[in-house]
Amino acid sequence: MSLSNIEIAQSARMLPIGEVAAGLGIPADSLEPYGRFKGKVSLPYLASLEDRPQGKLVLMTALSPTPAGEGKTTTTVGLGDALTRIGEKAMICLREPALGPVFGMKGGAAGGGYAQVVPMEDINLHFTGDFAAIEAATNLLAAMIDNHINHGNALGIDARRITWRRVLDVNDRSLRDVVIGLGGAGNGYPRESGFDIVVASEVMAIFCLAVSIADLRERLGDIVVGYTRSRMPVRARDLDAHGAMTAVLRNALAPNLVQTLENTPAFVHGGPFANIAHGCSSVIATGAALRLADYVVTEAGFGADLGAEKFVDILCRTTGLRPSAAVIVATVRALKYHGGVDVPDLPTENVAALEHGLPNLRRHLRTVRDTWNIPAVVAINHRAEDTDAEIAAVIAAVEAAGATAIVAKHYAEGGTGAEDLAREVVRLCTARSERADGELRFTYADSDTLWDKMKAIATRIYHATDIIASTKVRDQIHRLQDEGYGAYPVCVAKTQYSFSTDPKLRGAPAHHVVDIREVRLAAGARFIVMICGDIMTMPGLPAKPAANTITVDDEGTIRGLF
Amino acid sequence: MSLSNIEIAQSARMLPIGEVAAGLGIPADSLEPYGRFKGKVSLPYLASLEDRPQGKLVLMTALSPTPAGEGKTTTTVGLGDALTRIGEKAMICLREPALGPVFGMKGGAAGGGYAQVVPMEDINLHFTGDFAAIEAATNLLAAMIDNHINHGNALGIDARRITWRRVLDVNDRSLRDVVIGLGGAGNGYPRESGFDIVVASEVMAIFCLAVSIADLRERLGDIVVGYTRSRMPVRARDLDAHGAMTAVLRNALAPNLVQTLENTPAFVHGGPFANIAHGCSSVIATGAALRLADYVVTEAGFGADLGAEKFVDILCRTTGLRPSAAVIVATVRALKYHGGVDVPDLPTENVAALEHGLPNLRRHLRTVRDTWNIPAVVAINHRAEDTDAEIAAVIAAVEAAGATAIVAKHYAEGGTGAEDLAREVVRLCTARSERADGELRFTYADSDTLWDKMKAIATRIYHATDIIASTKVRDQIHRLQDEGYGAYPVCVAKTQYSFSTDPKLRGAPAHHVVDIREVRLAAGARFIVMICGDIMTMPGLPAKPAANTITVDDEGTIRGLF
């Protein structure tokens, strides 16, 4: 009988985290251990590495997600282990899992099978407390807003125009829309508000984009929490909240070092949503990894249209980080799903359906290679039921598009199963550095208007024919442009399941139009969120939540977690 | 110019936490470090110490708290350091500070002056994440309740009779009374609810009373979250929530090891409110300290009428722990306040007022010595402005009551300033162990009815003439008695500022009556909360919160924290 993810993880032969750090040349006094297998690498030490040459950055992305699962995290781990196996000094960078979803649907966020980061229970169960710190900072600011109003509202905040919401790291639909401040004069002024999940907080996005404590403090101060009656923005700085928020986040900002099952070092740090935010682990972790290793594999959320687009147009644009290559993860199952097969029928061979789904993969591949000019390889994340005919069809299609598709069996075999993929990644990175035309290209220019930026993303990446918006939304966009936010990049919140804004349009839909329903200023994260379609920022629990089967035995061992 | 608390703390010469642990004989592989100066001692290791002889337990309590501050935590630290200085193997046990209040009023919760536990910034700023875990477990249960109702309510929970509230570690008055579940069918059923601060959660009380992972899981399952329409209790176990809650709390349950400025080892673990809960740090930490040291000083919340009463009648009763001596902290300032002096006039010598306030101290002393049969010494926590005449008056009064009062100058001098106090504590403990009549006496018997237990506390400890309650509350108490909860101890929630339920009645009020306004079942903590007077379970921020002046400089150093 095959082992569950947690059983594999619990039988891992982990190195003491000090040894993992020492392997990277990190001095003992620059590692803050959190238990024996987790640690935070000190920021002053990381700052001292600034002059070192940077390793090569490999972006892990995927086709449009499906209910079948693609295994981007698993492939990141497998590739990291395979790079190590073929003799490269490699690290991986992953997002931290949120606690809330762990108790909802079953499914880990620390990889799977023989490609996991460990200790997986700790990583999934509030880890080193970073998300708790982000939650506390977010809610402190919220409390200071209502407290300011309660004590006389000297800033003249319009209680109807407060945009700042509280957050919790729990899937709790009943907190999406609430009325607070009830119960009489002692409890302040009643108003409508709501809670998001922690990963949707602008503090999370800021945390992951900040390059230092000073930058973090500055960005937190820039947060716009709402408006006065005369529509002037009110910032966290106006409330003198940003210093205390920084104090809450200080320890969290140092990146978390853990390891894979095969002892490849991994930074697991930060985890912004890939819709309402930019969906990549912290810039501090990625930047640090590039000074500590020769190859750094980092994962962006959802498909290439969302996570990778933001990685390129937000993160790379504002930080100067540049990927040398990208891996696009696909599965035979996901391709069949995009070809129209329903979930129960996915295990059955169906080459025709698979070929029908291939345009989704081809479009993402074209985006990565042609639009952004990033050398890319397709990783076929292998499952036992995949047939030779199906795999051959994928390989042929990718080759026809001028790229390579490689079967990777890290889930079942660990790093050894992804060595071919690792070799191709090294080849791409090396070829890239020898090319003259190796510059990353963005989807749009800084100087484009906000409207044109959104239009460029919609037409070039989503293959939409146009973008539309109500007069109210158009006015908002023009106002932001006039107020000086026109230079910010755009962060699109839309469904991850389709290139379009309709989650049911699988494959590679064309002739669709993107409707901008809402615009939000993220002045601390320094991007403009354009919400296209229904976006859920607070998940709910299912009828039978995973929490029902998770427990701890008398010896203290976690049971039933994935 | 004298240094601030944080400046003193930041100049401490801390030992690596591994050295502190080694000094206690804790093997390196039984310590989970959290950074270089904090650690968690593993539960399996602590369980292996069960057969060791226990050290002597010293209870730190105080007169009724005043706005002037008494310095119970400071005296706990000073006494621990002084015991170490006179050659004893000593440890201290403290509660973890809540994060919320740190940003409200100025004032640390890790001691002060030259009697602090360090690293004080970390201890005050979410430390090792225990409170975040308790918050997450509490809110997971809340989400599972509303989720259960949303998905059909098979248990038939009466949404009007849900008693379980969510918690946050932030002072936020606008969350005291809220309506949740608004926004339409997708967000569940609207209902009234509210948030408490984390320290008020029953999970916190359970966490601090549990003796093992198995006990924790069992108690979490016992929690009553509300009632069905036919008034049957609904438990966390009925929702299959307790296993997942235990998983969230697993790492947190191991006690946190830190040190004082003078390197005396300290467990800082758990921190339940001393009104709605029992107000003592975790039983696991105290029990462990007693196996690791010969003298363990532990602090109970508020004055002896609240914290010490619960220490005796809840904690000692249910765990078998027994104090060998008690220290009652008093200050000249606090005594003058109890004698009627207003805060601005407290620095001025006023022996007459002080003598007017002494009955408060005498009454607490009598409770500790005569009612509970615990040998006690009064510690006069010295301040520079105290006059010789004032101190002489306190000493004389305590001597007249048959006990000793000792001036302790640990705030200004560290452990050396509390050596006389330490010697008296050792003398009391030694004398106690030689006495035949050394048994701890409880305020009431297990077999007393809930009503009689409350009456015993009110009349014997508060010196009230009687207790009263509305018919509704009396019925509730009788129902709990009938349902089999009669054997539980009573946990009184009342103001800490007075023996009575009126915070304005200073000194030693007599002829007062205690009105039980509300009764709550804490089935997991296994006590009955009787609420007498207005009790705030979610604080608010002041007009100028401390958060306004707290920040982090570019080098990562916290500034402005106390």
Side-chain angles (χ1 to χ4, degrees):
Chain A
M1 209 191 81
S2 71
L3 297 173
S4 69
N5 287 345
I6 191 170
E7 287 167 333
I8 293 170
Q10 285 174 346
S11 58
R13 285 155 63 173
M14 289 187 277
L15 297 176
I17 198 63
E19 282 185 38
V20 177
L24 293 167
I26 299 169
D29 65 358
S30 297
L31 180 77
E32 299 266 323
Y34 277 66
R36 276 167 295 149
F37 302 108
K38 301 164 280 179
K40 280 185 170 282
V41 183
S42 88
L43 294 178
Y45 167 72
L46 294 177
S48 76
L49 308 180
E50 292 271 300
D51 294 335
R52 284 199 193 171
Q54 289 194 38
K56 295 187 189 309
L57 183 57
V58 179
L59 173 64
M60 185 68 61
T61 184
L63 43 57
S64 302
T66 73
E70 288 65 52
K72 213 164 37 193
T73 302
T74 302
T75 306
T76 303
V77 174
L79 176 56
D81 284 339
L83 285 163
T84 303
R85 288 184 64 88
I86 66 170
E88 302 295 347
K89 190 171 182 185
M91 278 194 79
I92 63 172
C93 290
L94 294 172
R95 289 170 294 164
E96 298 181 53
L99 183 62
V102 166
F103 297 114
M105 303 290 197
K106 263 191 180 287
Y114 288 88
Q116 297 187 52
V117 280
V118 281
M120 79 87 108
E121 309 97 301
D122 287 5
I123 293 170
N124 277 301
L125 295 172
H126 54 102
F127 202 22
T128 59
D130 296 342
F131 284 20
I134 290 164
E135 178 193 302
T138 305
N139 294 337
L140 172 62
L141 178 54
M144 290 177 78
I145 296 166
D146 285 298
N147 187 60
H148 179 85
I149 296 173
N150 181 62
H151 285 294
N153 199 9
L155 291 170
I157 299 170
D158 185 344
R160 305 165 307 174
R161 290 202 169 83
I162 296 169
T163 49
W164 195 248
R165 290 161 61 89
R166 290 166 176 81
V167 295
L168 278 181
D169 198 359
V170 60
N171 287 14
D172 193 344
R173 67 173 62 75
S174 58
L175 295 179
R176 287 173 190 154
D177 287 297
V178 302
V179 171
I180 62 171
L182 297 170
N187 298 350
Y189 296 92
R191 67 180 182 87
E192 279 190 65
S193 190
F195 287 72
D196 294 327
I197 196 159
V198 170
V199 298
S201 168
E202 188 183 343
V203 176
M204 176 66 87
I206 291 170
F207 181 89
C208 290
L209 288 169
V211 296
S212 66
I213 285 280
D215 185 32
L216 175 68
R217 197 184 54 227
E218 188 66 20
R219 286 170 174 267
L220 292 171
D222 289 344
I223 291 172
V224 171
V225 300
Y227 298 86
T228 65
R229 285 190 67 95
S230 53
R231 303 285 184 98
M232 296 299 291
V234 179
R235 292 176 194 273
R237 184 175 293 107
D238 302 324
L239 291 158
D240 275 332
H242 55 310
M245 293 169 74
T246 310
V248 172
L249 294 167
R250 180 191 66 154
N251 287 354
L253 195 63
N256 305 303
L257 182 67
V258 289
Q259 62 193 298
T260 68
L261 290 173
E262 300 183 9
N263 313 122
T264 300
F267 278 139
V268 178
H269 196 224
F273 246 151
N275 46 39
I276 201 90
H278 64 288
C280 308
S281 63
S282 82
V283 166
I284 282 191
T286 308
L290 287 168
R291 308 295 176 178
L292 294 166
D294 297 327
Y295 285 88
V296 175
V297 188
T298 188
E299 173 201 33
F302 297 148
D305 56 330
L306 278 168
E309 190 277 317
K310 292 165 184 180
F311 179 85
V312 168
D313 285 315
I314 298 176
L315 194 146
C316 291
R317 183 190 299 267
T318 59
T319 61
L321 291 175
R322 293 292 181 266
S324 294
V327 177
I328 304 173
V329 181
T331 59
V332 166
R333 272 180 175 234
L335 287 164
K336 286 190 281 192
Y337 183 84
H338 278 296
V341 177
D342 288 336
V343 172
D345 300 326
L346 289 176
T348 312
E349 182 183 79
N350 190 337
V351 176
L354 183 145
E355 288 187 331
H356 207 63
L358 278 165
N360 182 281
L361 174 60
R362 267 201 299 265
R363 191 182 276 182
H364 286 298
L365 180 61
R366 224 175 294 138
T367 300
V368 173
R369 298 210 314 165
D370 301 344
T371 309
W372 300 327
N373 195 31
I374 309 171
V377 55
V378 170
I380 305 171
N381 185 12
H382 184 263
R383 290 184 66 105
E385 81 257 10
D386 297 349
T387 69
D388 291 346
E390 289 173 326
I391 289 171
V394 184
I395 291 174
V398 172
E399 270 176 15
T404 308
I406 293 177
V407 175
K409 299 187 173 179
H410 45 276
Y411 185 92
E413 299 174 9
T416 188
E419 286 185 25
D420 289 347
L421 178 64
R423 275 184 283 267
E424 176 64 10
V425 164
V426 170
R427 194 190 67 74
L428 287 175
C429 290
T430 310
R432 166 67 156 232
S433 62
E434 288 161 1
R435 271 167 52 188
D437 62 341
E439 275 298 292
L440 180 70
R441 290 195 291 261
F442 299 114
T443 310
Y444 51 81
D446 285 2
S447 57
D448 291 345
T449 63
L450 293 172
W451 182 266
D452 287 346
K453 286 172 180 169
M454 181 67 224
K455 189 165 178 171
I457 296 169
T459 54
R460 301 188 66 193
I461 312 295
Y462 308 158
H463 294 241
T465 52
D466 205 354
I467 59 174
I468 56 170
S470 65
T471 308
K472 186 182 160 195
V473 168
R474 281 175 177 267
D475 287 350
Q476 270 188 285
I477 293 172
H478 290 140
R479 196 176 318 121
L480 287 168
Q481 187 80 36
D482 293 345
E483 287 169 356
Y485 300 109
Y488 281 5
V490 164
C491 179
V492 184
K494 74 159 182 68
T495 178
Q496 66 267 36
Y497 297 114
S498 173
F499 278 102
S500 76
T501 58
D502 178 354
K504 298 218 171 93
L505 290 183
R506 311 180 195 177
H511 310 298
H512 62 99
V513 169
V514 172
D515 182 6
I516 312 168
R517 297 168 48 147
E518 194 187 331
V519 179
R520 292 188 198 166
L521 167 63
R526 297 179 192 156
F527 52 64
I528 306 293
V529 181
M530 302 226 183
I531 298 175
C532 309
D534 286 324
I535 289 300
M536 181 69 73
T537 51
M538 172 55 94
L541 292 170
K544 288 213 175 299
N548 286 348
T549 52
I550 296 170
T551 193
V552 189
D553 67 19
D554 291 356
E555 281 68 48
T557 305
I558 306 264
R559 302 290 179 195
L561 184 71
F562 315 128
Chain B
M1 211 192 80
S2 72
L3 297 173
S4 68
N5 287 345
I6 191 169
E7 288 166 334
I8 293 170
Q10 286 174 346
S11 59
R13 285 156 62 175
M14 287 187 280
L15 297 176
I17 198 62
E19 282 186 37
V20 177
L24 293 167
I26 299 169
D29 66 358
S30 297
L31 180 78
E32 299 267 323
Y34 277 66
R36 276 167 294 148
F37 302 108
K38 301 163 282 179
K40 281 186 170 281
V41 183
S42 87
L43 294 179
Y45 168 72
L46 293 177
S48 76
L49 308 181
E50 292 271 299
D51 294 334
R52 283 198 193 172
Q54 290 194 37
K56 293 187 192 308
L57 183 58
V58 179
L59 172 65
M60 185 67 61
T61 184
L63 43 56
S64 301
T66 74
E70 288 65 53
K72 210 164 39 192
T73 302
T74 303
T75 306
T76 303
V77 174
L79 176 57
D81 285 338
L83 285 164
T84 303
R85 289 183 65 86
I86 66 170
E88 302 294 349
K89 189 170 184 186
M91 279 194 78
I92 63 171
C93 289
L94 294 172
R95 288 169 295 163
E96 297 181 54
L99 184 62
V102 165
F103 297 113
M105 302 290 198
K106 264 191 180 291
Y114 288 88
Q116 297 187 51
V117 281
V118 282
M120 79 88 106
E121 310 96 303
D122 287 4
I123 294 171
N124 276 300
L125 294 173
H126 54 102
F127 201 22
T128 58
D130 295 341
F131 284 21
I134 290 165
E135 179 192 303
T138 304
N139 294 338
L140 172 61
L141 178 54
M144 290 176 79
I145 296 167
D146 285 299
N147 186 60
H148 179 86
I149 295 173
N150 182 63
H151 285 293
N153 199 9
L155 291 170
I157 299 169
D158 185 345
R160 306 165 307 174
R161 291 202 168 83
I162 296 169
T163 49
W164 195 249
R165 288 161 63 89
R166 289 165 177 84
V167 296
L168 278 181
D169 199 359
V170 60
N171 288 13
D172 193 344
R173 68 172 64 73
S174 58
L175 295 180
R176 288 173 190 154
D177 287 296
V178 302
V179 171
I180 62 172
L182 297 169
N187 297 351
Y189 296 91
R191 67 180 182 90
E192 279 190 67
S193 190
F195 287 72
D196 294 327
I197 194 158
V198 170
V199 297
S201 167
E202 188 183 343
V203 175
M204 175 67 86
I206 291 171
F207 181 88
C208 290
L209 288 169
V211 296
S212 66
I213 286 281
D215 185 32
L216 176 69
R217 196 183 55 226
E218 187 67 19
R219 285 169 174 269
L220 292 171
D222 288 344
I223 290 173
V224 171
V225 301
Y227 298 86
T228 65
R229 284 190 70 96
S230 52
R231 302 288 184 96
M232 296 299 292
V234 179
R235 293 176 193 273
R237 184 175 293 108
D238 301 324
L239 291 158
D240 274 332
H242 57 308
M245 293 169 73
T246 309
V248 171
L249 294 166
R250 180 191 66 154
N251 288 355
L253 195 63
N256 304 303
L257 182 67
V258 289
Q259 62 194 297
T260 68
L261 292 173
E262 300 183 10
N263 312 124
T264 300
F267 278 138
V268 179
H269 195 224
F273 246 152
N275 45 40
I276 200 91
H278 64 289
C280 309
S281 64
S282 81
V283 166
I284 281 191
T286 308
L290 288 168
R291 311 292 176 177
L292 294 167
D294 296 327
Y295 285 88
V296 175
V297 188
T298 188
E299 175 201 30
F302 297 148
D305 55 330
L306 278 168
E309 190 277 317
K310 291 164 184 180
F311 179 84
V312 168
D313 285 316
I314 297 176
L315 195 147
C316 291
R317 184 190 299 268
T318 59
T319 61
L321 291 175
R322 294 291 180 265
S324 294
V327 177
I328 304 174
V329 180
T331 59
V332 166
R333 273 180 172 235
L335 287 164
K336 287 189 280 192
Y337 182 84
H338 277 296
V341 177
D342 288 336
V343 172
D345 300 327
L346 288 176
T348 312
E349 183 183 81
N350 191 338
V351 176
L354 183 146
E355 288 187 329
H356 207 64
L358 277 165
N360 183 279
L361 175 60
R362 266 202 300 266
R363 191 183 275 182
H364 286 298
L365 180 61
R366 223 176 295 138
T367 299
V368 173
R369 298 210 314 165
D370 302 344
T371 308
W372 300 326
N373 196 32
I374 308 171
V377 55
V378 171
I380 304 172
N381 184 12
H382 185 263
R383 290 184 66 104
E385 83 256 12
D386 297 348
T387 69
D388 290 347
E390 288 173 327
I391 289 171
V394 183
I395 291 174
V398 172
E399 272 178 12
T404 309
I406 293 176
V407 175
K409 299 187 172 178
H410 45 275
Y411 185 91
E413 299 175 8
T416 187
E419 287 185 23
D420 288 347
L421 178 63
R423 275 185 284 267
E424 175 64 9
V425 164
V426 170
R427 193 190 67 75
L428 285 176
C429 290
T430 309
R432 164 68 157 233
S433 63
E434 290 162 358
R435 272 166 53 188
D437 62 341
E439 275 299 293
L440 179 69
R441 291 196 293 259
F442 299 113
T443 309
Y444 50 80
D446 286 2
S447 57
D448 290 347
T449 63
L450 294 171
W451 183 265
D452 287 347
K453 286 172 179 170
M454 181 67 223
K455 190 164 178 175
I457 297 169
T459 54
R460 301 188 66 193
I461 312 297
Y462 308 158
H463 294 241
T465 52
D466 206 353
I467 58 174
I468 56 171
S470 65
T471 307
K472 185 181 161 197
V473 168
R474 282 175 178 262
D475 287 350
Q476 270 187 286
I477 294 172
H478 289 141
R479 197 177 317 122
L480 288 168
Q481 187 80 38
D482 293 344
E483 286 170 357
Y485 301 109
Y488 282 3
V490 164
C491 180
V492 183
K494 75 160 182 65
T495 178
Q496 68 268 34
Y497 296 115
S498 173
F499 279 104
S500 76
T501 57
D502 178 354
K504 300 220 169 89
L505 290 183
R506 311 180 195 177
H511 311 298
H512 61 99
V513 168
V514 172
D515 183 6
I516 311 168
R517 295 168 51 148
E518 195 188 329
V519 179
R520 292 188 198 166
L521 168 63
R526 297 181 192 154
F527 52 65
I528 306 295
V529 181
M530 301 228 183
I531 298 176
C532 308
D534 287 324
I535 289 300
M536 180 70 73
T537 51
M538 171 55 95
L541 292 170
K544 291 216 171 298
N548 286 348
T549 53
I550 296 170
T551 193
V552 189
D553 68 19
D554 291 356
E555 281 67 48
T557 305
I558 306 266
R559 302 290 180 197
L561 183 71
F562 316 128

